[in-house]
Amino acid sequence: MSKVVALITLFVLAVAAPARAHLVEDAGSPYAAGRTTFAAATGDFNGDGLADLAAPAEDSDDVTVLLRRPDGGYAPAPGSPFAVGERPADAVAADFDGDGRSDLVVWRAPSGQWFWLTSSSGWSRGTSRTFGSGTVGDMPMMK
């Protein structure tokens, strides 16, 4: 009996209509974020409950933070892009300081360091921190 069920299942799968998907561009897309942006992080950087974006750019040594607008699309965060040091290669967003809003850490491969930007103070450099991890040239095993 199980062979019959398996054959029926295979037949149904074989004749089922293939799934179709397509990309729907967001209003205002594409968004400027540097020419050599190979990574992105999502988080709620301003505490409004919407998914914001952050994209490090290796060519300009900064990270662009784009805030989701309630009516759709994204707008640069005040002061964005933010300087983060030499060749930022990756970014991770999470609430590292416990204030309820996502912060951002950016991996700088040439120095083997993470650069931390806190959202609680509007991304000011006065609250940024640098800390080492691994060796120069390493890439983080995260995400």
Side-chain angles (χ1 to χ4, degrees), residues 85-101:
E86 187 181 7
R87 292 187 42 225
D90 204 354
V92 177
D95 183 9
F96 297 108
D97 59 6
D99 68 350
R101 298 189 310 179

Side-chain angles (χ1 to χ4, degrees), residues 60-74:
S60 52
D61 298 338
D62 58 23
V63 61
T64 299
V65 175
L66 299 169
L67 303 177
R68 182 72 177 175
R69 295 185 307 210
D71 60 345
Y74 290 87

